Every structure is written in structure tokens, then in C-alpha cells.
Amino acid sequence: MIEQTRAIAIFDIDGVVRDVSGSYRRAIADTVEYFTNQAYRPTPLDIDKLKSEGIWNNDWEASQELIYRYFENQAQTREQLQLDYNKIVTFFQSRYRGENPDNWTGYICNEPLLLQLSYLEQLTQAGIAWGFFSGATRASANYVLEKRLGLQSPVLIAMEDAPGKPDPTGLLATVRQLENALETTSAIIYVGDTVADMYTVKKARELDSRTWIGVGVLPPHVQETAARSDAYAQTLIAAGAAVVLSNVQELTPKQIQELVS
């Protein structure tokens, strides 16, 4: 029975719970274009290539890195550039959240949801504890979890609460909050859409002796062609994913039971 698996399922948010191809990723492209004086706008493939390095989970830092790399290709050094990180963050947020920090009107308002509340209720009924560990800011994460999905104070470790992935500190902290509801925990599943997510599971495994399983999800923007989907899936598997799904809701209680056993 699934009730006896005592599994915990923890979800990344961006690319798993919500489609960020038209929001976070669009904001990255806008930001890089702005700070390269309209000379370079990274494509989705450019952003994926950077993310596949496994250390650019923070989209503000990813934007800065793409700006640096563009100018390095123009034979300028980072020392010469002296980029102002705070200005990059401010510009990015003006696109993602909008100009008014108290009344969001930016790209975040139009993010399609990738799971429904009924899916999480299925997990609960099967005795599977669940929560969220994300590199998104707490305000952005809560916007989708509470305002859009209607969850009441879900277990969430966000950007402000832990070091960035692939450091596993935040993932371990999420587990600690969830395992209080279970007598024993046989396995922990982390569901993410990036190489950094899978690396985080590997690092957690080095610190905790329980069973850790990385589940990859293909973000919508890579599913436009079969070739791109396949290539992205292989990247996640190479990074440690036990399985790669096209949508998070394919991770049913039955699938969780099979992964754990």
C-alpha cells in the first residue's frame, strides 16, 4: 500500500508548478538585452545551455552571467565592465513583477499553472507528505502557491531561507518540516526541471542516508519539438534524474510507490 511507503515529495516551483517561459525566462532575455544596449537577446536555447551548467539557478545571477559572457566575446573583461548587480536585479524585477512593488502587473501575472490543487490532494490521501523548495523569492513563490493555487501556508523553503541550489541545505530543511507529520520516512523525492535540481538531490544523498530520488520534469518551452525534449531529458538523466516526466502530475501516488520500491 502507498500509505506504507512513508514518502515525502518536494517540488521545485518554476518549470514544475508554473510555466515560467513567458515570465522569468522572458525577464532574463529582457534584462540581458537592456544591459547589452540591445546588442544581444539570449534565446531560450542560450538560457538552457547556461542552466545546464548546474550552478545558475538564480535568474538574477544568470542574467548577469549572460551579460558578462556577451561582452567577453567582444574582448572586454569583467573588471572593465563593473556591472552593478543591484541595478540588474531592479530591472529584472520591473519586468517580472512590474514597476509597482505593491501591485504586481508584470509577467508573473500570466504564468500558466502546471498542476492543479486536486493533484496535491491525491498525494495527501495516499499518505504522501509534500512541500516546496524553490530558488524563487518567497513573495513570488507564495503568489503562485497561495494566491493562484489556493494553498494555506504550505511548507516552503524559498530563496531567502537557504543558500542557492545545488547546495542541499534548503532541501534538507524542507524535509525536516515535513517529516514531523510522519512516523518514519523511507524515501524523499525531489521534483525539478533543471540540472541544479538533480545535483541538489545528489548532494543531499551525501549528507543523509535515506533514499533520495530525483525526478525530472520537462519545462513546457522545451516540449515544442521531440528532438529538443529528448535532448533536455537526456541532460536531466545525466545529472541524476531517475525518471523524466512531461508534466508533474504524471508523478502519481502509484508512480511514487514504484520509484520508492
Side-chain angles (χ1 to χ4, degrees):
M1 294 293 291
I2 291 164
E3 286 84 355
Q4 296 173 334
T5 62
R6 299 299 180 195
I8 286 176
I10 299 172
F11 301 93
D12 180 31
I13 292 176
D14 303 332
V16 175
V17 175
R18 60 180 170 192
D19 179 1
V20 295
S21 54
S23 56
Y24 267 128
R25 284 168 177 265
R26 185 179 174 190
I28 290 175
D30 286 358
T31 303
V32 175
E33 186 176 48
Y34 179 82
F35 284 94
T36 59
N37 305 309
Q38 278 65 53
Y40 169 53
R41 183 176 181 86
T43 66
L45 275 171
D46 293 336
I47 296 169
D48 283 343
K49 188 177 177 185
L50 182 77
K51 295 271 187 180
S52 72
E53 295 175 14
I55 55 173
W56 304 108
N57 195 65
N58 181 314
D59 288 335
W60 303 332
E61 293 174 358
S63 300
Q64 177 177 255
E65 183 65 17
L66 286 167
I67 297 163
Y68 271 133
R69 292 187 188 188
Y70 167 77
F71 283 113
E72 284 176 334
N73 287 332
Q74 311 304 311
Q76 294 190 51
T77 67
R78 298 185 182 221
E79 290 71 26
Q80 287 173 308
L81 288 170
Q82 296 287 308
L83 292 176
D84 187 328
Y85 180 68
N86 289 329
K87 286 183 178 177
I88 290 170
V89 172
T90 298
F91 182 88
F92 183 104
Q93 294 296 78
S94 75
R95 291 295 190 270
Y96 181 66
R97 291 188 184 178
E99 299 287 351
N100 184 342
D102 300 317
N103 180 30
W104 293 2
T105 55
Y107 301 153
I108 189 174
C109 299
N110 302 311
E111 294 170 331
L113 294 177
L114 300 174
L115 65 72
Q116 303 304 315
L117 186 59
S118 57
Y119 166 71
L120 297 171
E121 290 168 348
Q122 282 176 24
L123 298 184
T124 299
Q125 287 165 8
I128 297 163
W130 50 266
F132 304 90
F133 168 48
S134 172
T137 63
R138 178 163 283 275
S140 170
N142 276 331
Y143 182 88
V144 66
L145 297 179
E146 297 186 354
K147 187 168 183 178
R148 300 282 309 282
L149 271 173
L151 297 175
Q152 301 293 318
S153 303
V155 170
L156 166 67
I157 298 292
M159 177 194 281
E160 298 91 335
D161 306 318
K165 303 173 209 175
D167 187 307
T169 303
L171 182 56
L172 293 163
T174 315
V175 170
R176 280 196 296 274
Q177 288 192 36
L178 289 167
E179 65 187 354
N180 294 334
L182 301 174
E183 293 172 14
T184 58
T185 306
S186 65
I188 299 130
I189 295 171
Y190 185 50
V191 188
D193 68 318
T194 67
V195 168
D197 293 326
M198 300 306 111
Y199 285 175
T200 304
V201 175
K202 281 185 173 179
K203 289 179 177 292
R205 197 177 289 133
E206 293 168 6
L207 299 173
D208 186 294
S209 61
R210 286 174 292 189
T211 300
W212 291 83
I213 301 167
V215 170
V217 172
L218 296 175
H221 75 273
V222 307
Q223 298 190 49
E224 291 165 9
T225 68
R228 192 138 176 242
S229 292
D230 291 345
Y232 199 95
Q234 288 306 314
T235 299
L236 291 177
I237 289 167
V243 64
V244 177
L245 310 173
S246 58
N247 177 269
V248 61
Q249 295 183 137
E250 293 172 18
L251 186 68
T252 60
K254 183 173 183 289
Q255 170 83 317
I256 289 172
Q257 184 182 32
E258 288 171 0
L259 283 169
V260 168
S261 59

